[in-house]
Amino acid sequence: MKINVVPRRNARGGRSAGEHLIAALRCLYRHAEDARLIDPADNPATKVATPRRLPSTRRAVADTRLAEINHVAATTGNDPALDSLILRLHTETACRRGGALALRPQDLDPDQCLVFLREKGETVRWQPVSPTLMTHLRHHADQRHAPREGQLLRYTDGRPITTRRYDHLWTRIGKHLPWVATQQISTHWLRHTTLTWVERNFGYAVARAYAGHTSQHNDAGTTTTYVRANIHEVAAAVATLTGEPHPLA
């Protein structure tokens, strides 16, 4: 699997492909155990070590660099308003692409400036946002006729966007900012940027809540069971980040 993997610019020698293969085989043999086709002691998959995952190359983007990214998005392309809104949404909420694409008009709470995010692993959370972002999200939904229960982010003709919009956005930004293409900056870098800032200024507990992390697996320690931030503390971080008062802060 590692030898035959398709090489990409960010390839790491097929480590991820090997890891996925072992995970898939372990799943297969686990089903065989459950069906009593093999004895647990005879399961060969448990004897194969999982490849150690390498540290991510993503990191927080500097303020000046982030300003350059936003400037290019707002001054180029066929829909600068949409691209600017996408970047602002991810920068404020630190949400993943799936969370932004799943956002619906009915997920907006303008009175308390909250958005309901649904992300991977079926996790859900109410995330505070600035009044400015809330205003633009509502305006975008109204202007592009997004159904209340349908996807919020849409093109000018009313079609819902897909992950391809993200790909085209970063490709375009990379053409204007060569360092974006060289370092393969993506939307997930914005998540790193915001959460790093929150952790440095408001501590680990608030950053963890801001990110929507709930799993105890690979966590910083058992202390996190007792040290948890609430939505008001997250709102305070948003208020400081954006420089706007928040109703829950």
Side-chain angles (χ1 to χ4, degrees), residues 48-91:
V48 181
T50 302
R52 182 176 61 87
R53 184 167 296 184
L54 296 176
S56 173
T57 57
R58 300 188 185 103
R59 63 181 185 280
V61 180
D63 291 348
T64 54
R65 295 297 193 184
L66 185 58
E68 292 178 32
I69 291 174
N70 283 299
H71 176 73
V72 171
T75 56
T76 63
N78 60 1
D79 197 345
L82 171 63
D83 295 335
S84 296
L85 182 61
I86 289 174
L87 294 181
R88 177 73 182 248
L89 174 62
H90 284 281
T91 302

Side-chain angles (χ1 to χ4, degrees), residues 119-176:
E119 297 190 305
K120 69 176 186 178
E122 299 182 347
T123 59
V124 297
R125 73 181 187 278
W126 284 104
Q127 184 76 13
V129 297
S130 68
T132 295
L133 177 57
M134 178 59 68
T135 299
H136 284 283
L137 287 172
R138 297 179 67 193
H139 177 72
H140 178 90
D142 293 340
Q143 188 181 49
R144 307 200 175 188
H145 308 290
R148 176 173 170 77
E149 298 181 358
Q151 185 176 322
L152 189 148
L153 295 175
R154 294 176 177 265
Y155 294 107
T156 53
D157 60 5
R159 290 180 297 117
I161 70 167
T162 65
T163 55
R164 293 189 64 184
R165 185 67 191 185
Y166 286 87
D167 297 336
H168 293 319
L169 170 61
W170 288 108
T171 298
R172 187 176 80 248
I173 294 175
K175 291 179 179 178
H176 290 81

Side-chain angles (χ1 to χ4, degrees), residues 93-110:
T93 66
C95 68
R96 302 174 178 88
R97 290 196 311 183
L101 293 174
L103 192 63
R104 306 163 298 182
Q106 69 178 23
D107 295 329
L108 306 181
D109 181 352

Side-chain angles (χ1 to χ4, degrees), residues 184-202:
Q184 300 178 48
I185 308 295
S186 65
T187 306
H188 210 71
W189 286 61
L190 301 181
R191 180 173 168 83
H192 278 255
T193 301
T194 301
L195 295 179
T196 298
W197 182 89
V198 173
E199 191 277 332
R200 297 294 190 272
N201 291 274
F202 290 88

